[in-house]
Amino acid sequence: MFFLNGGFGFAYFFPNLQNGTDNFTRIFTSFYETPTNLVNQNIRWVNVIVDMLIPQRATLFGWAVLFPLLYVLYRAVYEHCERYFIIAGIFAGGLVMIHTHSFLAFGLICGVWLCFALCRRVFRGSSAHVQFTAKVAALVLMLLAFGAQFVTPKLISRESSVFLYLVLVCAAAFVLFVLALLTMAIRKGFGIQLVKTWGVFLLITLLLAAPQLFTWTFSQASGDSFMRGWYNWGNLQDGYLWFYLVNLGVTALLFLPAFFTADQRRFTVCAPAAVIWFICEFVVFQPNTYDNNKLLYAAYFLVCGVVASYMVEIYRRLRTLPGRRALAVGALVLCMLSAVLTIGRESIAGYCLYGDSQLKAAEYIYENSEPEDTVLTDMRHNNEIAALTGRNIVCGSTSYVYFHGLDYTERETDMQSMFSAPQANCALFEKYSIDYILVSAYERNNFTVNEAEIKALFPCVFDENGVQIYKVTF
């Protein structure tokens, strides 16, 4: 369910099949129009294989550590394998630089599991009351997230700091509650046991993680655009429940009954998902709000476990129902059809990164320029000059490090000025030490290119099928 995730996005591709197959076949022919990534229809819950693991190396490496780490900590906490706390601490401490979002998600999961571990020691014999109280708390968090849609944006802006303060207040209350539990557990004689288990784990984790956090993470994430209030992370246009129903599909339909009817262990294991989801609905941790999904997928991993168990239980209870196997197959198809179609599209996808004229232009730059030369091009992601020649360009794609706080606005504005009025902006050419200008379909589409003025000012040293290179001489 986790790796073949997908909602009901496939439904957008089946209408009007009687009039032709174009609407369906665009899954395999169009760019970014799949049942798990269809932005025009607000399908934002992308398939983890196609859109997370394959293109995002940090996520791949992070999850390769996070998921085994969760298993190790589960063995330590729920199966009382105390030596596993040491192993978990070592790997958790190294997760900061591997994938910071996974480290944060793991920290939140640890906090909730620690809370339940303390409750089991403090409230022995009252596990039913503890579970009931925890379910009520989870329900309150869900209702807060759901109810906020009725005041956003009519009364409160979607990016209001009120949401950040709400989460901070809840976090402070949770920390105080855990400290109170810890105090009671120590008074009941569990202090040494907690030090040997959770204490050792947290000490190792902090010793390894703290230098990384203070050296890199906190300084990089200190800008105003990182941790801030924002409601409903990736929802662009739909109602709250509809957004999750369409994006998560069967998982969304079954989560609430699966979560609130789960036995004690399954509930406590999955409970961090409610906390992570609550936080991600009100706070974003990076400039790109969509990237909250890197935290949400860790929660979804836990959700898939409890939902899958619930589906197995339903199947078991329907053992006397004729046709239950057909129903089970139908349920699995609904769960995985969007993912299968998306992966199928990826398996046959082929992209032409560079045409012949682009390759020849890159070859010319490589053979006729100096390594330190700078070329004025547009800001496309797959830039042949940057990728194939190693030469400098004025400004690359904003998708690289804009979301880490680097502002490209000034350079982008200056590039537009140089393309549109090169004679009036000679100072900018000198400012960026530009040696060549590349003019192709990309530059013409993305900038207002005054080709007549460029030709009058600079000699054209390369011309091939609509791709020109001009040598800047002042």
Side-chain angles (χ1 to χ4, degrees):
M1 289 184 69
F2 179 77
F3 291 103
L4 294 180
N5 69 299
F8 295 137
F10 61 83
Y12 290 105
F13 296 90
F14 285 100
N16 301 318
L17 282 179
Q18 68 276 12
N19 299 324
T21 60
D22 290 348
N23 186 46
F24 178 78
T25 56
R26 67 188 170 108
I27 296 175
F28 307 99
T29 57
S30 298
F31 185 70
Y32 272 94
E33 291 192 20
T34 70
T36 61
N37 194 342
L38 191 62
V39 177
N40 290 338
Q41 299 295 338
N42 208 24
I43 302 298
R44 310 272 293 177
W45 193 249
V46 296
N47 178 257
V48 298
I49 294 176
V50 171
D51 289 283
M52 301 297 290
L53 295 178
I54 292 177
Q56 301 186 36
R57 289 167 294 182
T59 301
L60 175 63
F61 298 151
W63 287 359
V65 176
L66 174 64
F67 296 150
L69 179 56
L70 288 175
Y71 172 74
V72 170
L73 188 63
Y74 172 86
R75 291 288 305 274
V77 175
Y78 290 95
E79 297 183 2
H80 310 293
C81 301
E82 294 186 0
R83 67 184 185 277
Y84 283 16
F85 278 105
I86 298 175
I87 301 173
I90 294 172
F91 280 94
L95 192 55
V96 178
M97 289 306 297
I98 298 173
H99 195 222
T100 307
H101 283 89
S102 290
F103 178 78
L104 177 56
F106 182 72
L108 294 171
I109 293 170
C110 287
V112 178
W113 284 3
L114 171 60
C115 181
F116 282 116
L118 292 171
C119 286
R120 286 193 294 271
R121 289 168 172 82
V122 173
F123 303 113
R124 283 192 168 186
S126 303
S127 59
H129 295 292
V130 170
Q131 185 174 355
F132 175 78
T133 304
K135 289 182 177 180
V136 171
L139 181 61
V140 169
L141 296 181
M142 293 177 188
L143 290 175
L144 283 172
F146 171 73
Q149 67 176 317
F150 300 109
V151 297
T152 306
K154 297 177 181 178
L155 300 178
I156 302 175
S157 168
R158 187 179 187 183
E159 50 189 309
S160 171
S161 57
V162 170
F163 297 127
L164 175 61
Y165 296 142
L166 171 64
V167 170
L168 291 176
V169 168
C170 292
F174 176 78
V175 169
L176 291 174
F177 179 65
V178 171
L179 290 175
L181 289 175
L182 181 61
T183 302
M184 289 187 283
I186 292 173
R187 289 178 178 175
K188 286 179 176 286
F190 293 106
I192 295 177
Q193 183 188 35
L194 289 170
V195 169
K196 290 181 177 179
T197 54
W198 284 98
V200 170
F201 163 72
L202 293 174
L203 178 63
I204 295 173
T205 301
L206 289 176
L207 285 175
L208 295 174
Q212 303 172 67
L213 290 170
F214 285 101
T215 303
W216 296 299
T217 306
F218 293 153
S219 60
Q220 292 175 357
S222 58
D224 295 336
S225 59
F226 278 81
M227 185 174 174
R228 67 191 193 281
W230 184 278
Y231 178 62
N232 204 196
W233 67 285
N235 188 356
L236 299 176
Q237 63 197 38
D238 293 330
Y240 188 86
L241 293 180
W242 180 255
F243 172 72
Y244 282 115
L245 176 63
V246 174
N247 276 272
L248 270 64
V250 173
T251 304
L253 287 173
L254 297 181
F255 170 66
L256 289 179
F259 185 69
F260 287 107
T261 61
D263 60 29
Q264 181 179 349
R265 175 169 292 193
R266 289 194 181 113
F267 173 78
T268 58
V269 169
C270 183
V275 174
I276 294 174
W277 221 286
F278 170 77
I279 294 172
C280 289
E281 289 289 31
F282 291 117
V283 176
V284 293
F285 295 88
Q286 61 289 311
N288 186 4
T289 59
Y290 171 77
D291 279 345
N292 258 25
N293 66 1
K294 295 174 182 177
L295 286 169
L296 289 169
Y297 278 114
Y300 184 69
F301 179 75
L302 301 177
V303 167
C304 286
V306 74
V307 170
S309 297
Y310 184 69
M311 294 177 72
V312 171
E313 179 63 21
I314 292 176
Y315 183 77
R316 186 187 64 80
R317 292 185 179 185
L318 295 177
R319 58 182 176 272
T320 60
L321 180 70
R324 70 167 182 158
R325 292 182 179 178
L327 289 175
V329 170
L332 291 176
V333 169
L334 287 176
C335 287
M336 301 177 184
L337 181 58
S338 289
V340 170
L341 291 173
T342 299
I343 294 171
R345 184 257 184 278
E346 194 69 17
S347 67
I348 65 171
Y351 302 104
C352 178
L353 290 180
Y354 309 113
D356 289 340
S357 56
Q358 292 174 285
L359 293 175
K360 291 178 180 178
E363 183 179 9
Y364 177 88
I365 290 292
Y366 183 78
E367 293 179 350
N368 294 276
S369 65
E370 299 298 325
E372 65 273 10
D373 283 354
T374 300
V375 182
L376 176 63
T377 75
D378 96 316
M379 302 167 66
R380 58 187 173 276
H381 177 72
N382 294 312
N383 189 297
E384 63 271 24
I385 302 302
L388 302 180
T389 74
R391 302 302 187 259
N392 299 312
I393 59 175
V394 177
C395 187
S397 170
T398 57
S399 64
Y400 286 129
V401 289
Y402 170 79
F403 295 114
H404 291 273
L406 183 62
D407 190 356
Y408 288 77
T409 305
E410 181 181 354
R411 282 183 176 250
E412 189 171 6
T413 302
D414 289 346
M415 289 171 65
Q416 176 60 65
S417 299
M418 287 185 282
F419 273 120
S420 61
Q423 188 166 12
N425 291 282
C426 293
L428 291 177
F429 284 88
E430 295 180 3
K431 174 183 177 181
Y432 294 107
S433 301
I434 295 174
D435 300 284
Y436 293 91
I437 303 173
L438 175 69
V439 177
S440 67
Y442 292 104
E443 285 72 27
R444 296 182 182 100
N445 291 334
N446 296 318
F447 292 99
T448 303
V449 181
N450 190 338
E451 294 189 60
E453 195 167 300
I454 291 175
K455 289 178 181 179
L457 286 173
F458 311 118
C460 181
V461 294
F462 176 90
D463 191 347
E464 180 80 25
N465 292 331
V467 177
Q468 290 89 36
I469 296 175
Y470 296 89
K471 174 68 175 175
V472 176
T473 55
F474 284 114

